[in-house]
Amino acid sequence: MISKVITGKSFYGCCRYVCADERRAEILEAEGVRDYSYRHMGNDFETNRQQLPDKHRAVFHGILSFYPGEQVTDERLAQIGREYLEKLGITNTQYVITKHTDTDHLHLHIIANLVNNSGKTIRDNWIGLRGKKAAQQLTQKYQLIPAIEKKIALTNLQALNHEETARYEIFQAIEAVLPRCKTLPALENELMKKGIDVQYKYKGNTQQLQGISFKKGSYAFKGSSIDRKYSISGLQKTMQQQITQEQQQIKKRGLRL
């Protein structure tokens, strides 16, 4: 089992990425948040974070990737998720443990609030390294298959881990810049600043846009695989809505004058 830790600012974005697609996400356990809606879940996390408004990066997102083909019961997965958080000192706080089933490699996504229920910050120094150590200890405790048993397995697990990280980082980047982008070139320019390339697919030899993909490092994803709203049609719809809203606001200001 391999651990990867990401800390972030947006609970809504993280909950949406991890939990929104019910075709791949199965919530195993939730503490202190509503688990039937990623929107309500994100709001619950954010409400608690506001006890400590100066803590901007309060989102803990841990990814645990298991050996290829390894089978673990949901009950055991939830137990591993809880103990993983405890070993990191992430206690007395809100959390959600979610299983993703969209690949051949079983993996967990664990979201937790780094502002605890008492309104105090949970330390996150060296949290990535501590997460790796916790994963090694849990692998041994529950007699899971060590990632180093076969080099190919280690390579596959690391690739999955890095792929999930790249996918989520692209999601976060689009989430952050899209509200201020009215055109695809504007979106492309903003994402380029964050090290993300935008590629388009056209219908035949025409200039009719048919698809969009995003690339970060060596990983590329179709827009719809990042989020269904980030398909080419979804992005165009969002941008048109933003243009319409801006025009309406200008018109209202003109009427007031």
Side-chain angles (χ1 to χ4, degrees), residues 185-199:
L187 176 64
E188 184 177 354
N189 185 57
E190 289 294 327
L191 292 177
M192 191 181 301
K193 297 174 184 176
K194 296 178 178 291
I196 298 169
D197 293 325
V198 178
Q199 300 170 338

Side-chain angles (χ1 to χ4, degrees), residues 34-257:
R34 288 168 283 184
D35 63 359
Y36 55 84
S37 163
Y38 72 85
R39 292 182 177 87
H40 289 121
M41 183 188 296
N43 288 337
D44 292 342
F45 274 122
E46 180 59 26
T47 297
N48 205 60
R49 186 202 68 80
Q50 289 174 2
Q51 295 183 91
L52 202 63
D54 292 338
K55 178 70 173 178
H56 299 297
R57 299 188 69 85
V59 182
F60 170 87
H61 179 191
I63 305 167
L64 291 178
S65 305
F66 293 77
Y67 190 92
E70 186 161 39
Q71 300 296 315
V72 186
T73 66
D74 288 350
E75 183 179 359
R76 177 56 55 86
L77 288 173
Q79 186 174 355
I80 288 172
R82 289 192 300 270
E83 292 189 29
Y84 174 73
L85 290 174
E86 289 171 5
K87 287 181 178 296
L88 291 176
I90 302 176
T91 58
N92 184 34
T93 194
Q94 302 160 302
Y95 66 83
V96 176
I97 301 171
T98 303
K99 176 176 70 172
H100 272 198
T101 57
D102 56 334
T103 70
D104 293 334
H105 302 74
L106 174 65
H107 55 291
L108 292 180
H109 288 264
I110 303 171
I111 307 171
N113 202 332
L114 293 178
V115 175
N116 70 19
N117 296 329
S118 302
K120 297 181 180 179
T121 188
I122 295 173
R123 70 184 186 94
D124 59 0
N125 55 308
W126 301 104
I127 200 164
L129 185 60
R130 290 191 286 121
K132 294 180 189 300
K133 183 178 180 180
Q136 292 172 351
Q137 292 171 340
L138 291 168
T139 295
Q140 184 175 12
K141 176 178 179 179
Y142 290 105
Q143 298 182 330
L144 302 172
I145 304 173
I148 58 174
E149 184 166 311
K150 291 183 180 180
K151 289 184 179 180
I152 185 64
L154 177 60
T155 301
N156 289 344
L157 281 169
Q158 288 176 330
L160 169 68
N161 209 274
H162 295 156
E163 181 180 11
E164 276 293 309
T165 301
R167 190 197 303 266
Y168 180 55
E169 288 175 344
I170 292 171
F171 172 86
Q172 284 185 308
I174 299 174
E175 189 94 347
V177 305
L178 184 57
R180 59 177 181 268
C181 297
K182 306 297 189 300
T183 65
L184 289 171
L187 176 64
E188 184 177 354
N189 185 57
E190 289 294 327
L191 292 177
M192 191 181 301
K193 297 174 184 176
K194 296 178 178 291
I196 298 169
D197 293 325
V198 178
Q199 300 170 338
Y200 302 103
K201 180 181 179 182
Y202 297 91
K203 187 174 182 179
N205 295 321
T206 72
Q207 290 299 307
Q208 182 180 344
L209 274 176
Q210 194 174 39
I212 190 169
S213 62
F214 303 92
K215 184 177 181 182
K216 184 176 177 65
S218 59
Y219 298 102
F221 308 92
K222 292 191 299 183
S224 59
S225 73
I226 299 293
D227 190 283
R228 280 176 285 181
K229 293 183 179 180
Y230 297 154
S231 65
I232 191 67
S233 59
L235 288 168
Q236 290 172 328
K237 180 180 178 181
T238 297
M239 290 174 179
Q240 185 56 53
Q241 288 174 341
Q242 291 176 171
I243 292 171
T244 301
Q245 290 171 357
E246 185 177 273
Q247 291 173 341
Q248 290 174 343
Q249 290 171 355
I250 292 173
K251 185 176 180 180
K252 286 180 180 179
R253 287 198 294 268
L255 290 174
R256 291 195 190 103
L257 295 175

Side-chain angles (χ1 to χ4, degrees), residues 9-28:
K9 300 178 181 180
S10 172
F11 278 111
Y12 171 82
C14 188
C15 292
R16 176 179 161 192
Y17 172 77
V18 172
C19 303
D21 190 346
E22 296 180 357
R23 296 172 299 178
R24 68 170 182 164
E26 181 181 346
I27 297 174
L28 302 180

